[in-house]
């Protein structure tokens, strides 16, 4: 086993949040190196809601800044990076990163633990992942909750199962804060917040059709399927406005 830490990728900075310029293949090689080196490393899947939440939440901002890998999850992030003159090569939706980690786990014999989502969903997601990768070892599944009162018990369960990869589905930013608070006592090398990914994998919630995804309209499909999200989505136009202002500010500085 190598103890070399995985290399740090180059990054874009979007309204104060770092987003790493990695492809899915590079992110998975990074994860493999992280598992071999053993120390705990947090992976965040940054989308527009993350960036806007981080602007008003110092703790979330600190956790994202401390995450070892921040992958670009959404079309809005790709657009912002381009607009700010630091384009990123590939979008890595959280669900695809999770599927990639499951494939890596199956290939290398790593244990995968699925934490969070409604009761029964993690088990359904695990079954779907095992259908796709029969060699996959699911170290455990548990819904639990991000409540402080449950933390010690959940940590004990995960330590007992000793997985190499932990996916946490408590929604952002709760899942990122949960990982950050507990990662140093879990004994798990790669830990990632996955939001609604377990719902997608389990088939409880449908992902946008490929054509919508190609057009960068996954957010619109999500709004159509889950209209109660409209309030959260108000952050999208605000984000676009802030990015354009930042770009104009930069153009102004370059002229001076
Ligand atoms: N969730 C949970 N406990 C909580 C809050 C959320 O298990 O206290 C789960 C929820 O069931 C869903 C997942 O977290 O499976 C992600 O929720 P959401 O889709 O709101 O997150 P996003 O993808 O927007 O970050």
């Amino acid at each position: 086993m190598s103890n070399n830490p995985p290399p740090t990728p180059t990054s874009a900075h979007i309204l104060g949040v770092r987003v790493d310029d990695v492809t899915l293949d590079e992110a998975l090689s990074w994860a493999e190196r992280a598992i071999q080196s053993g120390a705990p490393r947090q992976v965040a899947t940054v989308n527009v809601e993350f960036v806007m939440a981080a602007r008003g939440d110092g703790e979330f901002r600190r956790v994202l800044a401390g995450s070892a890998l921040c992958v670009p999850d959404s079309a809005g992030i790709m657009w912002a990076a381009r607009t700010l003159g630091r384009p990123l090569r590939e979008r890595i939706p959280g669900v695809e990163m999770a599927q990639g980690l499951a494939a890596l786990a199956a290939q290398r014999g790593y244990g995968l633990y699925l934490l969070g989502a409604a009761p029964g969903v993690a088990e359904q997601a695990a079954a779907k992942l095992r259908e796709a990768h029969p060699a996959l070892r699911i170290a455990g599944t548990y819904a639990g909750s991000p409540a402080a009162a449950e933390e010690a018990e959940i940590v004990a369960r995960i330590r007992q199962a000793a997985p190499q990869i932990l996916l946490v589905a408590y929604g952002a930013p709760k899942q990122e804060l949960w990982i950050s608070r507990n990662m140093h006592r879990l004994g798990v090398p790669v830990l990632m917040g996955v939001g609604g990914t377990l719902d997608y994998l389990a088939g409880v919630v449908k992902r946008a059709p490929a054509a919508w995804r190609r057009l960068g309209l996954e957010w619109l499909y999500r709004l159509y399927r889950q209209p109660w999200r409209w309030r959260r989505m108000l952050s999208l136009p605000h984000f676009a406005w802030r990015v354009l202002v930042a770009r104009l500010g930069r153009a102004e500085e370059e002229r001076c």
Side-chain angles (χ1 to χ4, degrees):
M1 272 225 276
S2 144
N3 281 324
N4 292 335
T8 312
T10 58
S11 318
H13 287 84
I14 298 176
L15 306 185
V17 173
R18 192 190 94 240
V19 186
D20 298 319
D21 187 18
V22 280
T23 63
L24 180 57
D25 283 350
E26 288 167 358
L28 294 174
S29 309
W30 179 96
E32 191 171 359
R33 293 277 294 277
I35 290 168
Q36 286 167 358
S37 92
R41 288 186 173 82
Q42 180 163 7
V43 180
T45 61
V46 179
N47 64 22
V48 169
E49 288 174 28
F50 276 50
V51 172
M52 295 312 276
R55 285 171 68 80
D57 178 343
E59 182 64 2
F60 188 35
R61 209 161 48 235
R62 188 189 60 74
V63 167
L64 290 178
S67 294
L69 190 68
C70 292
V71 304
D73 168 275
S74 77
I77 293 293
M78 300 302 282
W79 168 80
R82 264 194 324 274
T83 303
L84 294 169
R86 180 64 183 85
L88 298 165
R89 285 170 297 155
E90 190 176 311
R91 177 161 95 91
I92 307 180
V95 62
E96 286 170 29
M97 183 72 190
Q99 284 166 324
L101 286 171
L104 174 70
Q107 226 172 53
R108 297 278 185 257
Y110 301 144
L112 176 69
Y113 198 108
L114 307 180
L115 176 67
V121 170
E123 290 71 19
Q124 278 173 265
K128 287 280 163 58
L129 287 172
R130 251 196 317 251
E131 264 172 37
H133 310 285
L136 177 62
R137 184 165 60 82
I138 299 288
T141 54
Y142 187 57
S145 94
E150 287 191 39
E151 232 161 79
E153 193 223 323
I154 295 177
V155 167
R157 279 174 181 265
I158 296 171
R159 286 186 63 88
Q160 170 82 24
Q164 279 71 43
I165 301 170
L166 171 66
L167 305 182
V168 183
Y170 286 147
K174 277 191 241 162
Q175 62 200 11
E176 281 71 27
L177 302 186
W178 192 96
I179 291 172
S180 168
R181 276 198 308 276
N182 294 298
M183 61 193 277
H184 294 289
R185 52 181 184 151
L186 283 167
V188 181
V190 170
L191 311 95
M192 179 169 88
V194 292
T197 286
L198 301 188
D199 297 320
Y200 290 132
L201 293 177
V204 174
V205 174
K206 264 195 162 46
R207 253 193 109 188
W212 290 57
R213 300 208 300 260
R214 265 197 307 278
L215 291 170
L217 293 177
E218 206 152 11
W219 62 272
L220 186 58
Y221 186 80
R222 215 171 175 194
L223 184 60
Y224 158 65
R225 299 297 297 222
Q226 303 173 318
W228 62 89
R229 287 182 174 271
W230 70 271
R231 196 180 287 280
R232 284 168 57 173
M233 292 208 173
L234 289 180
S235 65
L236 291 172
H238 189 193
F239 172 80
W241 170 247
R242 287 274 152 216
V243 169
L244 291 172
V245 168
R247 180 195 163 142
L248 286 175
R250 180 173 301 175
E252 195 63 35
E253 263 172 37
E254 282 162 9
R255 256 203 304 277
C256 293

